[in-house]
Amino acid sequence: MKKYIKDQIKKSYETKQAIYENEDLLNKIEEVAQKCVALYRNTDKKTILAGNGGSAADAQHIAAELVGRYGFDRPSIPSLALTTDTSNLTAIGNDYGYDQVFSRQLEGMGQEGDIFIGISTSGNSANIIKAFESAKKKKIMTVALTGRDGGKMAKMADIALIVPSSATPRIQESHILIGHILCDIIEKEIFGEGVGR
C-alpha cells in the first residue's frame, strides 16, 4: 500500500512538473494574474467563479481566499462563487434546467468588466459553456480552467489554462495550485510589495 501512496504522490508532482516546464501555460497564468490585478487596481469590478462537484469547491475556495485573506491581513477583495446559493441553484435548476444555473446568475449579477473563471476538468460542462455565452453577451472576460484537451470551453474562453493531464484528481490538484498562485499574486500586487519581475 505504501508504494501505491507514493505512486499517487509521484503522479501529482509529475503533473506539476509538466506545468512548470510549459512556457505557454505559464505565460497564460501570468496573463490572467495581470488581468485580475488590473481589474482590482482600476475598477470596482469582481472576479466570478463557478464549477461542478470538486470544481465547485475550488470556485468557493478561490473566492474565499480573495474575500477573506490569502497570506496576510488586508482589505477584502471582491470575488463571488456562483456555487454557494442553494436557493438560486435549485430555483434556476427547477425552472430553467441545470444547464442554466450559472448563466442565469451571471445575467443578474455579472457586470461588464468583471472576469469569469469557469472550472471544469473536461472543459465540456454544459452549464459553464452556457455561462461563457452569457458572459460574452455582457462583455465579461472569460477564463477556462480545464484539463485534458481543454474541451469546448478552451475554444470559447478569452484565455484557457489547460492542465496537461487526463486524470481528474491530478487536474483538480493543479487547479487549486493555479488558483493559489493567482490569489497570491493579486494580494501581493494590490496590497503588498509585489512579487518581483
Side-chain angles (χ1 to χ4, degrees):
M1 185 177 286
K2 189 181 289 184
K3 181 183 183 304
Y4 181 81
I5 293 168
K6 291 175 76 173
D7 285 345
Q8 295 304 298
I9 295 168
K10 184 178 180 186
K11 286 175 183 174
S12 184
Y13 74 66
E14 284 174 347
T15 302
K16 293 178 177 72
Q17 183 71 29
I19 295 170
Y20 182 83
E21 295 172 355
N22 186 326
E23 286 297 321
D24 181 58
L25 179 54
L26 295 175
N27 289 338
K28 288 178 179 177
I29 294 169
E30 181 179 15
E31 184 181 1
V32 172
Q34 289 171 339
K35 298 280 188 185
C36 290
V37 168
L39 170 87
Y40 288 126
R41 268 200 184 128
N42 303 317
T43 70
D44 60 353
K45 305 302 182 188
K46 61 192 169 297
T47 52
I48 305 170
L49 302 99
N52 298 283
S55 297
D58 288 343
Q60 292 164 214
H61 184 154
I62 294 164
E65 300 284 22
L66 293 171
V67 174
R69 69 175 217 169
Y70 179 75
F72 55 85
D73 290 327
R74 39 75 180 167
S76 182
I77 298 171
S79 188
L80 175 67
L82 301 181
T83 55
T84 58
D85 188 329
T86 54
S87 294
N88 265 336
L89 293 170
T90 55
I92 296 166
N94 185 64
D95 295 344
Y96 295 95
Y98 190 66
D99 288 359
Q100 305 291 328
V101 294
F102 302 135
S103 60
R104 187 77 176 166
Q105 291 186 76
L106 267 181
E107 285 174 30
M109 293 181 282
Q111 300 173 288
E112 181 177 344
D114 287 343
I115 295 175
F116 175 64
I117 301 174
I119 309 173
S120 168
T121 57
S122 69
N124 292 312
S125 297
N127 53 14
I128 302 293
I129 290 168
K130 291 283 188 188
F132 274 14
E133 292 170 358
S134 289
K136 295 290 184 187
K137 288 177 187 172
K138 297 201 77 167
K139 298 182 180 175
I140 294 170
M141 179 185 154
T142 55
V143 177
L145 193 51
T146 70
R148 299 184 173 88
D149 65 356
K152 294 175 185 175
M153 286 168 51
K155 296 177 180 70
M156 297 177 71
D158 293 308
I159 305 173
L161 306 179
I162 306 171
V163 172
S165 175
S166 59
T168 296
R170 306 294 82 85
I171 297 166
Q172 289 176 329
E173 291 159 4
S174 299
H175 281 175
I176 206 60
L177 170 65
I178 292 168
H180 277 167
I181 290 168
L182 293 175
C183 292
D184 188 42
I185 291 171
I186 291 165
E187 187 176 74
K188 286 176 178 169
E189 288 289 327
I190 300 296
F191 296 110
E193 297 179 359
V195 296
R197 299 288 179 259

